[in-house]
Amino acid sequence: MKASEFNYIYNSIKPSNNINEYTMHHVINNFYIGKTNTNNYCLLLKYPKESFLKSGRVTKAIALEFYSSEDFFINEFKTENSWAVVTCLDPIYNSLFTVLAEGIKYRTSNELMHSPQDILEYIMEWQELLASVTSLTDKQLQGLWGELYFILNSNSLEKSISVWEGPNKKKFDFSNNGIDIEVKTSLIKHIHTFSDEQLQNTTSQIKRYIYSLYIEEQSSGGKSTRDLVNEIRGLLPRVEKFEKKLLAYGYTDESIEYERKYSLRSEKLVSIAETPKVLLKDTGVFNLKYQSDLTFCQDVLNKNDIYTQLLNI
């Protein structure tokens, strides 16, 4: 069941008028989704009576609470079980909450969520991602657009997301199987800013490339970051891994900045060995950054072979 299907179910659930009652829909095994009387989205997991944690965890977006059989009521009656209840505290995160539902459904279906401790660890991971989200600069948004474009135009969305290291602040945006690719996006020809470390040739067996995108802002006919995100979401069988990486990058659906639209003017894949770079520098110079013009660099001929090797997981 995909996140979009959970969204459909949530929209069909009506909240109760009783402050102590959850309106619930059974999903699978011990997993339910529902709403509070204040119309907040909830995830509910039922455990044996003896399975109970005393404390949960609350952030700005998600609350996790545990209830013993004596404290939890359904239709004003006590149950014979303990419950873990995850509540979405802000409606702007409802779409993200359906992703949590997708992830928990997958884990319960595959018997990966046996105890309250399992749900605690799972929710804590999401809470920490949400707590670390900061606003993206225009340059970062432009860079994210390029990385999403690369993913969308790869031969395998799932594999390209698996090797996507940009959200992890690694030196290269995509790395796997002896291939490193750094995606660079520019509004000024194929001119990009690099760290000196990125452009130095490596003596190892790793082959490194720059995927250079020359784009232009275009209000009609172009695509926004939000457009690319939604297009990828619609093509994935499960979006959980993708959503986690978007959050790690700093992306949420709420900023109007994501509506800025771009179209591609030209693209090329350039070997690090062919990229203009600083060859000599004095001892003691470090953290060097500079612009390099890739306009006249040769586009590698075996691009498909390189992409196939990168995505060979």
Side-chain angles (χ1 to χ4, degrees), residues 120-161:
L120 175 62
E121 292 173 359
Y122 180 75
I123 295 302
M124 281 176 60
E125 183 180 357
W126 281 98
Q127 288 176 322
E128 288 166 5
L129 281 171
L130 283 167
S132 64
V133 170
T134 56
S135 298
L136 296 175
T137 65
D138 286 345
K139 193 66 178 176
Q140 289 171 325
L141 287 168
Q142 186 178 304
L144 176 58
W145 191 98
E147 291 170 45
L148 294 172
Y149 181 89
F150 180 88
I151 292 170
L152 190 57
N153 289 276
S154 67
N155 292 328
S156 172
L157 294 182
E158 291 180 274
K159 289 182 178 180
S160 60
I161 290 168

Side-chain angles (χ1 to χ4, degrees), residues 18-35:
N18 189 332
I19 192 172
N20 293 318
E21 182 180 341
Y22 292 92
T23 309
M24 296 166 61
H25 173 90
H26 184 223
V27 179
I28 188 173
N29 299 338
N30 67 326
F31 177 41
Y32 300 74
I33 65 173
K35 286 183 176 178

Side-chain angles (χ1 to χ4, degrees), residues 20-35 42-57 63-87 104 108 113-120 123:
N20 293 318
E21 182 180 341
Y22 292 92
T23 309
M24 296 166 61
H25 173 90
H26 184 223
V27 179
I28 188 173
N29 299 338
N30 67 326
F31 177 41
Y32 300 74
I33 65 173
K35 286 183 176 178
C42 290
L43 308 171
L44 304 101
L45 289 101
K46 179 175 64 176
Y47 295 103
K49 186 174 181 179
E50 64 275 7
S51 299
F52 175 62
L53 293 179
K54 291 185 177 181
S55 61
R57 180 166 172 160
L64 170 62
E65 299 172 284
F66 296 102
Y67 296 91
S68 68
S69 57
E70 291 77 18
D71 298 327
F72 193 83
F73 293 82
I74 300 176
N75 299 331
E76 301 182 356
F77 292 96
K78 294 180 181 179
T79 73
E80 296 299 320
N81 300 91
S82 296
W83 291 80
V85 181
V86 186
T87 305
I104 293 174
T108 54
M113 196 165 276
H114 299 286
S115 70
Q117 185 65 37
D118 295 332
I119 184 67
L120 175 62
I123 295 302

Side-chain angles (χ1 to χ4, degrees), residues 4-21:
S4 57
E5 296 174 85
F6 278 105
N7 186 59
Y8 177 82
I9 296 172
Y10 271 120
N11 287 334
S12 68
I13 296 175
K14 304 298 181 183
S16 169
N17 293 323
N18 189 332
I19 192 172
N20 293 318
E21 182 180 341

Side-chain angles (χ1 to χ4, degrees), residues 57-302:
R57 180 166 172 160
V58 180
T59 64
K60 63 177 181 180
I62 302 174
L64 170 62
E65 299 172 284
F66 296 102
Y67 296 91
S68 68
S69 57
E70 291 77 18
D71 298 327
F72 193 83
F73 293 82
I74 300 176
N75 299 331
E76 301 182 356
F77 292 96
K78 294 180 181 179
T79 73
E80 296 299 320
N81 300 91
S82 296
W83 291 80
V85 181
V86 186
T87 305
C88 182
L89 301 177
D90 190 330
I92 68 171
Y93 292 104
N94 281 352
S95 61
L96 181 61
F97 213 68
T98 63
V99 178
L100 271 68
E102 178 191 270
I104 293 174
K105 194 267 182 182
Y106 172 80
R107 283 161 175 75
T108 54
S109 299
N110 292 278
E111 298 184 353
L112 300 175
M113 196 165 276
H114 299 286
S115 70
Q117 185 65 37
D118 295 332
I119 184 67
L120 175 62
E121 292 173 359
Y122 180 75
I123 295 302
M124 281 176 60
E125 183 180 357
W126 281 98
Q127 288 176 322
E128 288 166 5
L129 281 171
L130 283 167
S132 64
V133 170
T134 56
S135 298
L136 296 175
T137 65
D138 286 345
K139 193 66 178 176
Q140 289 171 325
L141 287 168
Q142 186 178 304
L144 176 58
W145 191 98
E147 291 170 45
L148 294 172
Y149 181 89
F150 180 88
I151 292 170
L152 190 57
N153 289 276
S154 67
N155 292 328
S156 172
L157 294 182
E158 291 180 274
K159 289 182 178 180
S160 60
I161 290 168
S162 293
V163 302
W164 186 22
E165 298 291 351
N168 301 325
K169 309 298 187 292
K170 295 292 183 68
K171 190 187 304 182
F172 288 84
D173 295 320
F174 296 87
S175 297
N176 183 54
N177 208 27
I179 299 291
D180 287 341
I181 294 180
E182 174 70 5
V183 178
K184 290 291 187 180
T185 311
S186 176
L187 293 166
I188 309 173
K189 299 183 179 179
H190 289 278
I191 300 174
H192 309 290
T193 301
F194 296 95
S195 68
D196 182 59
E197 188 179 10
Q198 280 181 318
L199 295 185
Q200 295 310 310
N201 296 323
T202 176
T203 57
S204 68
Q205 298 301 311
I206 297 176
K207 298 177 182 178
R208 291 177 168 170
Y209 303 89
I210 305 299
Y211 181 63
S212 173
L213 296 171
Y214 173 24
I215 63 174
E216 63 180 353
E217 191 167 346
Q218 191 174 67
S219 57
S220 60
K223 291 185 177 182
S224 66
T225 304
R226 192 192 306 271
D227 292 334
L228 296 182
V229 166
N230 287 334
E231 195 169 343
I232 293 171
R233 284 171 174 161
L235 294 171
L236 289 171
R238 291 184 60 239
V239 299
E240 182 182 4
K241 182 180 290 186
F242 181 54
E243 297 292 347
K244 282 183 177 179
K245 291 200 172 185
L246 287 175
L247 282 177
Y249 206 108
Y251 175 92
T252 61
D253 282 334
E254 282 62 58
S255 174
I256 60 172
E257 290 294 336
Y258 304 134
E259 292 304 324
R260 188 170 295 175
K261 296 179 181 289
Y262 301 102
S263 62
L264 181 69
R265 296 196 63 174
S266 64
E267 62 182 315
K268 59 171 59 182
L269 186 69
V270 178
S271 169
I272 287 289
E274 302 298 323
T275 305
K277 62 180 68 67
V278 174
L279 297 177
L280 295 174
K281 55 184 180 293
D282 292 337
T283 301
V285 174
F286 60 95
N287 199 25
L288 181 63
K289 292 185 179 181
Y290 51 86
Q291 287 189 316
S292 184
D293 189 351
L294 279 60
T295 303
F296 301 105
C297 293
Q298 182 178 354
D299 197 6
V300 298
L301 300 177
N302 61 331

